[in-house]
């Protein structure tokens, strides 16, 4: 019996959590491919349908209207049903609406498809946050969140040259048919390969103990929770969370400029040929991938060296947001190489901030409300995604150039850094009294 106990004690943890991370990286890649594909097609859509900058801004932002409005209900559904069912249905839904974009014939029908896309994409990041908080100990969480956040930018980086080729070869509708089909196929794989730790194949007790002992919430969030209104108040009265919400608003506003208007900026403002845009336009996205990975490793290294959560999780975000403000410098040069450099610096910084913001949120969110807290954060953050493309479109239509739009994006970086420095304070997990 003693030998058996020793054998159990020495049992090596399995590595199922890394396979789970691979799944959410792929699904996040698809998610952002389906969000950003319209930015590549935008110049051709605008020309074919006669849309001006203001109308294109509304089309760009429509996805975020529905995405933002259903964030909190999605969090409640996520707490009740768990990420396996919710994420799978969401993937099927948004992939269907992505494909349906190829059938649109008017401003109204295009707005309708973008609203449907946003509705079904809404559970994605709250589900990611819940899955990572469930499956990963604190010391690995920055890397895990950095990995799936990096997958966003891999989707954006690859979509620019590949989708540009599809655009030139087969027309803009082919972009939506191809990206929609990818999501529908992967939904089957998700349903057959994901589950929570307690129900998952390929995970042993040693790995579950590793997650739990390291601050993971495998035994807490795997259950279907009942949420009360008394618990909900913590999500709207915490200074820490409001600091996170404002910072998230700024981070998302910057991201959505790159996801929507950036290719059009290169084509219309900088007079770059379509195929050339497909190559040079991908460079800032690769810079963002580097920012995500560097920030994740840097933050986890500071955690391992016991610098404290405040320094380890906040500093990379603050530095990244301040770097994003550099985008305004593109207004002061006609050298296209310098323009791309400034865009790369700005998107590198946005990637740094985006990667670690969710890691910090996972450290302070109430244990009983992991999915719902992520939804509230996403709700406020994605108001930036809803407003940013429309504001940029209005500024372009009003002024006839992108100069004021870049100033707006730069201001978002400064606002976000201010929030992280002065509002959040010293981060600690929010405890809800029973």
């Amino acid at each position: 019996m003693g030998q058996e106990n020793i054998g159990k004690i020495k049992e090596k943890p399995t590595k199922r959590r890394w396979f789970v991370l691979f799944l959410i990286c792929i699904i996040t890649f698809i998610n952002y491919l389906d969000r950003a594909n319209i930015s590549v097609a935008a110049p051709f859509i605008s020309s074919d349908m006669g849309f001006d900058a203001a109308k294109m801004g509304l089309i760009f932002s429509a996805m975020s209207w529905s995405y933002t409005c259903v964030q909190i209900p999605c969090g409640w559904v996520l707490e009740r049903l768990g990420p396996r069912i919710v994420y799978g249905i969401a993937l099927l839904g948004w992939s269907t609406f992505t494909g349906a974009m190829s059938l649109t014939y008017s401003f109204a029908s295009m707005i309708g498809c973008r609203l449907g896309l946003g509705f079904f994409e809404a559970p994605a990041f709250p589900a990611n946050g819940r899955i990572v908080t469930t499956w990963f100990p604190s010391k690995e969480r920055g890397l895990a969140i950095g990995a799936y956040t990096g997958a966003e930018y891999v989707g954006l980086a690859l979509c620019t040259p590949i989708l540009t080729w599809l655009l030139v070869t087969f027309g803009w509708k082919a972009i939506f048919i191809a990206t929609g089909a990818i999501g529908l196929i992967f939904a089957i794989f998700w349903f057959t390969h994901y589950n929570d730790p307690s129900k998952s194949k390929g995970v042993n007790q040693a790995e579950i103990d590793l997650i739990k002992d390291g601050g993971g919430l495998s035994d807490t969030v795997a259950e279907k929770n009942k949420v009360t209104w008394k618990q909900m108040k913590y999500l709207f009265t915490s200074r820490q969370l409001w600091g996170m919400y404002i910072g998230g608003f700024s981070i998302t506003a910057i991201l959505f400029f790159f996801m929507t208007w950036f290719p059009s900026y290169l084509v219309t403002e900088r007079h770059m040929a379509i195929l050339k845009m497909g190559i040079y336009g991908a460079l800032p996205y690769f810079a963002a991938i580097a920012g995500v990975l560097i920030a994740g490793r840097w933050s986890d290294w500071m955690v391992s060296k016991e610098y404290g959560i405040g320094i380890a999780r906040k500093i990379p975000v603050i530095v990244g947001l301040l770097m994003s403000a550099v985008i305004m410098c593109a207004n002061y040069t006609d050298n296209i190489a310098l323009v791309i450099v400034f865009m790369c610096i700005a998107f590198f910084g946005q990637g740094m901030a985006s990667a670690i913001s969710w890691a910090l949120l996972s450290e302070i969110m109430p244990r009983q409300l992991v999915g719902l807290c992520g939804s509230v954060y996403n709700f406020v953050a994605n108001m930036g995604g809803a407003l940013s493309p429309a504001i940029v479109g209005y500024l372009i239509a009003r002024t006839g150039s992108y100069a004021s739009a870049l100033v707006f994006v730069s201001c978002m970086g400064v606002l976000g850094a201010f929030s992280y420095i002065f509002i959040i304070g010293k981060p600690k997990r929010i405890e809800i009294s029973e």
Side-chain angles (χ1 to χ4, degrees):
M1 183 66 69
Q3 292 297 323
E4 290 178 4
N5 288 335
I6 292 173
K8 289 181 181 178
I9 292 171
K10 291 183 178 180
E11 183 182 26
K12 289 184 178 180
T14 49
K15 298 182 179 180
R16 182 70 178 182
R17 63 193 184 280
W18 300 109
F19 175 73
V20 169
L21 179 60
F22 169 75
L23 291 181
I24 61 175
C25 283
I26 296 296
I27 206 170
T28 303
F29 169 91
I30 295 169
N31 183 298
Y32 269 76
L33 192 64
D34 290 347
R35 293 188 193 195
N37 50 19
I38 193 171
S39 68
V40 176
F44 281 66
I45 293 173
S46 179
S47 175
D48 285 357
M49 297 192 174
F51 299 153
D52 61 11
K55 278 192 173 181
M56 286 307 300
L58 292 175
I59 292 170
F60 286 150
S61 65
M63 188 217 84
S64 292
W65 303 341
S66 54
Y67 183 94
T68 300
C69 288
V70 298
Q71 278 299 307
I72 296 176
C74 279
W76 182 85
V77 172
L78 187 61
E79 297 291 352
R80 299 295 298 165
L81 301 180
R84 180 175 178 271
I85 294 174
V86 174
Y87 219 158
I89 292 173
L91 178 56
L92 287 172
W94 89 59
S95 298
T96 299
F97 275 100
T98 296
M101 283 287 290
S102 65
L103 304 176
T104 54
Y105 55 89
S106 65
F107 178 74
S109 62
M110 194 159 284
I111 288 285
C113 281
R114 292 290 287 176
L115 288 172
L117 175 70
F119 178 88
F120 280 101
E121 285 203 351
F125 272 77
N128 284 352
R130 174 170 170 144
I131 291 166
V132 168
T133 308
T134 303
W135 275 94
F136 284 86
S138 182
K139 67 180 181 180
E140 296 175 348
R141 207 170 295 152
L143 177 61
I145 293 174
Y148 77 67
T149 305
E152 303 172 15
Y153 303 99
V154 171
L156 295 172
L158 293 182
C159 92
T160 303
I162 294 174
L163 296 187
T164 300
W165 175 81
L166 278 175
L167 173 71
V168 173
T169 307
F170 300 105
W172 64 265
K173 293 186 177 184
I175 290 176
F176 299 104
I177 294 171
T179 51
I182 291 170
L184 292 173
I185 293 169
F186 192 78
I188 300 170
F189 193 79
W190 171 262
F191 277 120
T192 56
H193 287 79
Y194 177 79
N195 222 319
D196 286 331
S198 61
K199 302 174 184 177
S200 182
K201 296 178 181 179
V203 59
N204 62 9
Q205 188 60 45
E207 184 173 15
I208 292 176
D209 291 341
L210 172 69
I211 296 166
K212 182 179 178 181
D213 294 343
L217 306 182
S218 61
D219 61 337
T220 303
V221 299
E223 300 299 325
K224 297 172 184 177
N225 300 324
K226 292 183 179 180
V227 181
T228 67
W229 288 110
K230 186 176 179 181
Q231 291 175 329
M232 283 278 290
K233 72 174 184 179
Y234 287 88
L235 303 182
F236 298 98
T237 58
S238 166
R239 174 176 170 171
Q240 288 189 105
L241 289 178
W242 273 108
M244 292 291 305
Y245 298 156
I246 295 170
F249 179 96
S250 301
I251 292 167
T252 308
I254 298 167
L255 172 63
F256 268 70
F257 168 78
F258 282 97
M259 283 179 53
T260 56
W261 282 109
F262 176 58
S264 294
Y265 167 76
L266 294 180
V267 172
T268 60
E269 183 83 355
R270 297 297 175 174
H271 309 294
M272 190 176 284
I274 291 290
L275 286 176
K276 191 175 181 181
M277 178 274 290
I279 298 171
Y280 285 92
L283 295 178
Y285 300 136
F286 284 110
I289 296 169
V292 167
L293 298 177
I294 289 172
R297 293 293 293 175
W298 182 24
S299 181
D300 282 353
W301 176 81
M302 286 191 283
V303 170
S304 68
K305 296 298 181 181
E306 300 181 350
Y307 280 86
I309 293 299
I311 293 176
R313 300 305 195 206
K314 286 174 64 176
I315 293 297
V317 179
I318 294 167
V319 171
L321 284 165
L322 292 175
M323 290 179 70
S324 293
V326 171
I327 195 172
M328 189 171 62
C329 296
N331 286 335
Y332 302 100
T333 181
D334 292 324
N335 187 315
I336 192 63
L338 269 181
V339 168
I340 296 297
V341 167
F342 289 135
M343 293 293 166
C344 286
I345 293 172
F347 213 13
F348 176 91
Q350 196 281 336
M352 287 184 66
S354 183
I356 305 304
S357 59
W358 277 95
L360 178 59
L361 183 66
S362 74
E363 303 286 359
I364 66 178
M365 58 175 54
R367 294 174 183 270
Q368 300 94 326
L369 301 174
V370 172
L372 192 54
C373 185
S375 291
V376 175
Y377 173 79
N378 241 15
F379 170 76
V380 179
N382 279 280
M383 289 178 68
L387 293 174
S388 178
I391 291 172
V392 169
Y394 170 79
L395 291 173
I396 296 168
R398 181 74 181 269
T399 64
S401 78
Y402 283 75
S404 57
L406 297 190
V407 172
F408 164 73
V409 176
S410 183
C411 289
M412 288 294 99
V414 174
L415 174 65
F418 178 90
S419 178
Y420 268 79
I421 294 169
F422 296 107
I423 299 178
I424 292 176
K426 185 178 181 180
K428 60 181 179 179
R429 188 167 304 278
I430 298 167
E431 298 294 341
I432 296 180
S433 56
E434 297 295 337

